[in-house]
């Protein structure tokens, strides 16, 4: 057996990075089809090993997770954005911050947020009308920003500040599109993209500190009257993430940098993936009227026109299947990276320490090896009788192992409640004749506006 896995031969210096940058989704699918479970190529200076067998994914994320870390190239690329927040920190820092943050994501606390989520969804719907065309991605992002700030920061964002967040997300996202020239350009070079990125970063940091000061002004041990989600209160006070961090800061366990990094991570990562999942779910339902009709039947039978509650969620089985299928076909986090701390063997090959290991949800979720008719939208593939033989890591939208997404339960509850609340009132019809195209960044975004025409249900 060859000591090096097969893979495409790239160009000097750039490797395969130009092909990847041009269309990461086509590139990932093509090399997996051509070369198998383990593929080797260079992404610019990165010696990269792509793994597409769920058994190997499980090895990296779970069974041998201690041998891997978040890659150093991500530290360089994302470090000034997210710092040592939960998404990027390692070792003792990550363990301390994860343990500190965990009460904010406790399932019992999350269950108290259902009313806040549906109230905010109803507020969004109050501005919608039959026949209107809305950009559903922007609408879902605006809604999920409001929800994450209420749930984790214990406060409200007015319309102006929500717009401020959204306006500054675009230059931040553009920074992380897979453009090899952008990665090779130092941060200090005064390009237009670098200037816009730094201005956007400064704006969001300023917003975060404004929120911190406002919570301090209300003596953050008390829940602001405007916040619906603060009902889950521990002996020490409210258990939203910001309150927890501020108490730890006052006790000398957190620095200002810790506060900044965790809150920036939560603001950016805490809303984007849920908004994208819902965006893709609306698109897929608009293209599959039989699935949309089945969703409506379930909502009518379970809810009968009333607002869904936390107690209803477990009964909304088909609603959950729609979201699972949307995340399978269009995983917002479409690729993950890890870096081996020591030499390891994966898929029969030696993978050296310090290389980049790529785990592509985009490929694994769409592989005919693990899924029947993988490119079709089939929510019922998530029925219990059809899931038994599937490898565990044929589907990993939230990662896995000790580094699995801390916000998984929050996101799943939010998605089901928003989908159920909106779909009771409206059908959403995609307005363009041709499918949308995809743009890779930190997450997978539609390239074009996602215009949807609203049709009020009878």
């Amino acid at each position: 057996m060859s000591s090096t896995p097969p893979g495409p031969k790239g160009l000097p210096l750039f490797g395969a990075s130009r092909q990847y940058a041009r269309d990461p989704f086509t590139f990932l699918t093509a090399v997996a089809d051509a070369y198998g479970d383990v593929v080797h190529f260079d992404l610019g200076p990165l010696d990269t090993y792509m793994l597409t067998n769920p058994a190997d994914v499980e090895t990296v994320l779970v069974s041998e997770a201690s041998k891997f870390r978040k890659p150093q190239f991500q530290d360089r690329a994302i470090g000034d954005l997210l710092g040592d927040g939960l998404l990027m920190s390692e070792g003792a820092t990550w363990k301390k911050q994860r343990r500190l943050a965990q009460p904010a994501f406790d399932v019992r606390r999350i269950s108290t947020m259902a009313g806040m989520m549906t109230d905010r969804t109803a507020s969004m719907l109050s501005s919608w009308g039959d026949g209107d065309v809305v950009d559903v991605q922007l609408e879902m992002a605006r809604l999920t920003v409001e929800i994450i700030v209420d749930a984790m920061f214990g406060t409200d964002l007015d319309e102006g500040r929500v717009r401020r967040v959204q306006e500054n997300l675009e230059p931040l996202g553009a920074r992380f599109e897979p453009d090899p020239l952008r990665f090779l350009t130092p941060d200090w070079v005064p390009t237009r993209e670098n200037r816009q990125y730094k201005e956007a970063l400064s704006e969001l940091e300023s917003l975060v500190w404004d929120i911190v000061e406002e919570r301090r002004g209300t003596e953050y041990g008390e829940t602001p009257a405007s916040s619906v989600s603060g009902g889950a209160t521990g002996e020490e006070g409210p258990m939203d993430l910001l309150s927890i961090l501020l108490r730890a800061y006052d006790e000398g366990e957190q620095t200002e940098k810790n506060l900044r990094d965790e809150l920036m991570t939560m603001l950016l990562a805490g809303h984007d993936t849920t908004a994208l999942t819902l965006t893709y779910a609306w698109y897929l339902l608009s293209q599959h009227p039989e699935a949309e009709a089945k969703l409506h039947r379930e909502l009518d039978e379970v809810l009968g026109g009333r607002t869904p509650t936390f107690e209803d969620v477990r009964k909304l089985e088909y609603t959950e299947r729609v979201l699972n299928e949307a995340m399978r076909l269009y995983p917002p986090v479409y690729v993950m990276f890890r870096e081996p701390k020591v030499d390891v063997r994966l898929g029969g090959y030696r993978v050296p320490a310090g290389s980049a290991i790529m785990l592509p949800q985009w490929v694994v979720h769409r592989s005919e090896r693990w899924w029947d008719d993988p490119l079709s939208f089939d929510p019922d593939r998530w029925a219990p009788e059809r899931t038994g033989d599937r490898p565990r890591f044929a589907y990993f939208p939230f990662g896995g192992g000790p580094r699995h997404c801390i916000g998984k339960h929050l996101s799943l509850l939010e998605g089901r409640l928003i989908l159920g609340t909106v779909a009771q009132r409206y059908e959403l019809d995609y307005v363009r004749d041709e499918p949308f195209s995809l743009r890779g960044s930190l997450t997978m975004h539609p390239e074009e506006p996602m215009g949807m025409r609203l049709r009020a249900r009878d």
Side-chain angles (χ1 to χ4, degrees):
M1 178 181 289
S2 170
S3 60
T4 302
K9 304 304 178 187
L11 300 171
L13 182 62
F14 289 102
S17 60
R18 285 183 168 175
Q19 298 157 276
Y20 181 69
R22 196 157 42 240
D23 183 347
F25 310 102
T26 299
F27 174 81
L28 294 173
T29 301
V31 297
D33 288 346
Y35 299 107
D37 287 355
V38 186
V39 186
H40 176 254
F41 50 87
D42 292 331
L43 279 180
L46 293 176
D47 188 28
T48 304
Y49 295 77
M50 186 175 85
L51 309 178
T52 59
N53 190 309
D56 294 328
V57 174
E58 185 168 11
T59 296
V60 173
L61 295 181
V62 183
S63 59
E64 298 184 17
S66 62
K67 296 180 181 179
F68 302 89
R69 54 156 284 151
K70 291 293 182 84
Q72 292 184 3
F73 83 86
Q74 285 189 332
D75 292 344
R76 294 190 296 271
I78 312 175
D80 58 344
L81 177 60
L82 302 182
D84 272 338
L86 276 174
L87 198 62
M88 297 304 301
S89 57
E90 282 288 333
T93 299
W94 175 78
K95 289 180 181 178
K96 175 185 175 182
Q97 296 301 105
R98 179 88 176 203
R99 188 165 51 247
L100 187 67
Q102 192 63 53
F105 295 91
D106 183 86
V107 174
R108 290 166 296 181
R109 178 175 186 268
I110 297 301
S111 69
T112 69
M113 299 178 192
M116 176 270 288
M117 294 174 181
T118 54
D119 284 349
R120 292 193 177 277
T121 306
S123 178
M124 176 191 72
L125 291 176
S126 68
S127 67
W128 288 16
D130 186 27
D132 290 350
V133 174
V134 300
D135 184 335
V136 77
Q137 183 191 355
L138 290 180
E139 293 289 304
M140 294 300 103
R142 183 178 298 119
L143 176 58
T144 55
V145 165
E146 292 177 359
I147 289 173
I148 198 66
V149 170
D150 194 331
M152 292 297 143
F153 293 18
T155 192
D156 285 321
L157 284 186
D158 58 35
E159 184 177 343
R161 293 203 293 186
V162 171
R163 192 180 307 114
R164 186 174 162 194
V165 172
Q166 291 187 296
E167 288 173 351
N168 287 288
L169 289 178
E170 183 64 28
L172 292 180
R175 168 71 166 243
F176 301 105
E177 292 175 14
D179 181 343
L181 291 177
R182 185 177 292 118
F183 281 120
L184 292 172
T185 303
D187 293 347
W188 53 264
V189 176
T191 63
R192 179 172 60 87
E193 291 83 1
N194 279 349
R195 287 196 304 272
Q196 290 176 340
Y197 173 79
K198 290 177 181 178
E199 289 168 1
L201 183 58
S202 178
E203 275 289 304
L204 290 181
E205 286 177 335
S206 175
L207 175 61
V208 162
W209 288 121
D210 286 346
I211 293 172
V212 170
E213 290 306 311
E214 288 168 12
R215 288 301 308 279
R216 283 197 170 283
T218 62
E219 298 185 5
Y220 57 88
E222 301 175 3
T223 304
S226 61
S227 177
V228 185
S229 63
T233 302
E235 293 180 3
E236 298 177 346
M239 299 306 287
D240 61 88
L241 181 63
L242 178 52
S243 292
I244 291 171
L245 293 174
L246 285 173
R247 287 195 290 269
Y249 175 80
D250 287 346
E251 294 168 3
E253 296 179 6
Q254 294 283 282
T255 65
E256 285 194 355
K257 185 179 186 305
N258 292 142
L259 282 173
R260 180 264 179 215
D261 292 349
E262 296 299 353
L263 297 178
M264 284 289 287
T265 297
M266 194 54 54
L267 179 63
L268 298 176
H271 84 280
D272 185 46
T273 52
T274 307
L276 289 170
T277 295
L278 286 161
T279 298
Y280 297 130
W282 294 125
Y283 169 78
L284 289 163
L285 288 168
S286 76
Q287 303 301 297
H288 297 85
E290 71 291 345
E292 184 179 49
K294 191 168 183 177
L295 172 68
H296 290 153
R297 284 197 299 274
E298 176 179 84
L299 295 174
D300 293 343
E301 291 169 5
V302 174
L303 303 174
R306 60 180 174 77
T307 300
T309 66
F310 179 77
E311 288 70 26
D312 293 316
V313 162
R314 60 186 175 83
K315 303 173 189 174
L316 299 178
E317 296 177 355
Y318 193 76
T319 306
E320 181 178 7
R321 293 174 193 174
V322 167
L323 291 168
N324 284 340
E325 187 70 344
M327 286 188 285
R328 184 188 69 81
L329 280 168
Y330 294 102
V333 178
Y334 62 96
V335 66
M336 297 173 62
F337 286 93
R338 290 292 187 270
E339 178 183 303
K341 296 185 280 189
V342 296
D343 290 0
V344 294
R345 288 195 71 80
L346 291 165
Y349 295 98
R350 172 184 167 273
V351 178
S355 54
I357 292 179
M358 177 186 282
L359 309 174
Q361 288 98 325
W362 174 262
V363 173
V364 180
H365 287 193
R366 290 167 159 250
S367 172
E368 62 184 10
R369 294 178 63 188
W370 323 117
W371 305 92
D372 296 330
D373 195 11
L375 299 186
S376 69
F377 177 64
D378 179 10
D380 280 327
R381 74 171 75 244
W382 295 96
E385 62 271 17
R386 293 179 59 184
T387 60
D389 296 333
R390 192 178 302 146
R392 178 184 174 193
F393 278 84
Y395 179 72
F396 57 111
F398 296 99
R403 298 293 303 242
H404 73 276
C405 175
I406 195 172
K408 174 181 176 179
H409 295 297
L410 174 66
S411 178
L412 291 175
L413 175 64
E414 186 179 356
R416 283 175 285 181
L417 290 171
I418 293 172
L419 193 66
T421 302
V422 175
Q424 282 199 101
R425 295 267 303 274
Y426 290 103
E427 297 177 17
L428 279 67
D429 296 329
Y430 186 60
V431 298
R432 300 174 71 234
D433 293 330
E434 63 276 6
F436 62 90
S437 53
L438 292 167
R439 171 170 56 89
S441 180
L442 292 177
T443 48
M444 183 178 73
H445 283 252
E447 186 71 62
E448 303 87 11
M450 294 294 287
M452 296 271 182
R453 187 174 304 279
L454 307 175
R455 283 194 295 136
R457 294 187 64 209
D458 296 333

